[in-house]
Amino acid sequence: MEYRGTWKEIWRQKGEMEGTVEDLYIYDGWEKSKADIRVTADKIIRELDIQPEDRVLEVGCGAGALAQYMECKYIGMDYSMPLVEKHIQFFGNSVIHAEADDIPFKDKYFDKCFCWGVFLYFESLEYARKAVQEIQRVTKQGILIGELPEVSHDEKHLLYQKKMFEGWAIQDAWTPQYKGKRFIAVKKGSLA
């Protein structure tokens, strides 16, 4: 299926696609990726040391590809209402419809937060900066933002520079095909 329009429109179209939980790779945009969802989820859990008692927010959770492996007090959010509905249908998680630049939770509500493969679809760097501020505002201990492209095969992807994440630990992409092209930004410890 060919998806057209803005990224928001594309993610709406994906969410409205007929399918089942077997189609998570398509719903969540992994269909062209060589990454393994389970391996990625395990690395996020290890990197942030996510524990069962941790309250964890996933920004840009889609239909729940990564969430299915989270054993914690998980809450997801996404700007695509159809994907939020699919996520709830497939996994029964607590998921809300919201924008990353205006997270509807009080300060330091979450222990940890992660956002994987989402920032490349933001509309502008200004939106991305606001999203980072909001993620930091609602998180106490650890943040991971993954798959930040410095270069991309798709001219519609928003590109980033590592200097935008000054003070964060920067890692190269975990997926071999993106090494040297994308990076991961991690912030741990007290974020007060």
Side-chain angles (χ1 to χ4, degrees):
M1 179 176 188
E2 181 80 21
Y3 301 100
R4 297 188 186 280
T6 65
W7 285 120
K8 285 187 178 184
E9 179 63 18
I10 289 168
W11 291 111
R12 185 194 58 74
Q13 290 170 31
K14 282 185 173 244
E16 291 177 348
M17 169 188 94
E18 290 294 323
T20 68
V21 71
E22 300 299 321
D23 298 306
L24 270 177
Y25 266 84
I26 297 168
Y27 284 125
D28 284 357
W30 294 68
E31 68 267 27
K32 294 180 183 175
S33 175
K34 293 181 173 53
D36 181 299
I37 293 173
R38 178 63 195 238
V39 169
T40 301
D42 287 345
K43 286 182 176 181
I44 291 168
I45 291 164
R46 278 194 309 276
E47 186 65 39
L48 289 178
D49 189 28
I50 294 174
Q51 299 298 312
E53 66 276 4
D54 286 338
R55 190 179 297 154
V56 177
L57 175 65
E58 180 181 7
V59 174
C61 64
L66 291 168
Q68 68 183 314
Y69 302 111
M70 297 293 148
E71 295 179 8
C72 57
K73 296 175 184 171
Y74 173 92
I75 296 178
M77 62 174 270
D78 202 284
Y79 66 37
S80 169
M81 192 61 197
L83 286 175
V84 167
E85 291 167 354
K86 288 279 194 251
H87 189 142
I88 294 167
Q89 173 190 340
F90 294 157
F91 300 109
N93 287 330
S94 294
V95 184
I96 64 165
H97 178 245
E99 290 277 351
D101 70 338
D102 187 21
I103 299 174
F105 291 95
K106 63 185 178 183
D107 294 358
K108 306 303 176 200
Y109 185 78
F110 295 96
D111 297 300
K112 294 159 186 169
C113 177
F114 69 95
C115 183
W116 188 266
V118 173
F119 271 57
L120 62 164
Y121 302 115
F122 287 164
E123 59 199 42
S124 68
L125 290 176
E126 182 57 31
Y127 182 96
R129 282 185 192 92
K130 288 179 183 175
V132 169
Q133 289 171 349
E134 280 291 279
I135 288 168
Q136 290 182 101
R137 180 185 64 76
V138 300
T139 309
K140 290 187 266 193
Q141 298 173 12
I143 300 168
L144 184 145
I145 301 173
E147 294 295 305
L148 293 155
E150 292 181 282
V151 296
S152 181
H153 62 280
D154 190 325
E155 64 185 32
K156 291 188 294 186
H157 287 166
L158 190 59
L159 302 180
Y160 295 86
Q161 296 178 351
K162 292 174 183 153
K163 67 182 180 183
M164 290 179 63
F165 292 88
E166 188 176 327
W168 295 58
I170 303 297
Q171 301 177 15
D172 199 3
W174 294 338
T175 307
Q177 77 188 72
Y178 296 133
K179 294 242 182 239
K181 298 176 184 172
R182 295 185 180 182
F183 65 95
I184 299 162
V186 180
K187 203 169 210 187
K188 294 192 238 184
S190 177
L191 302 177

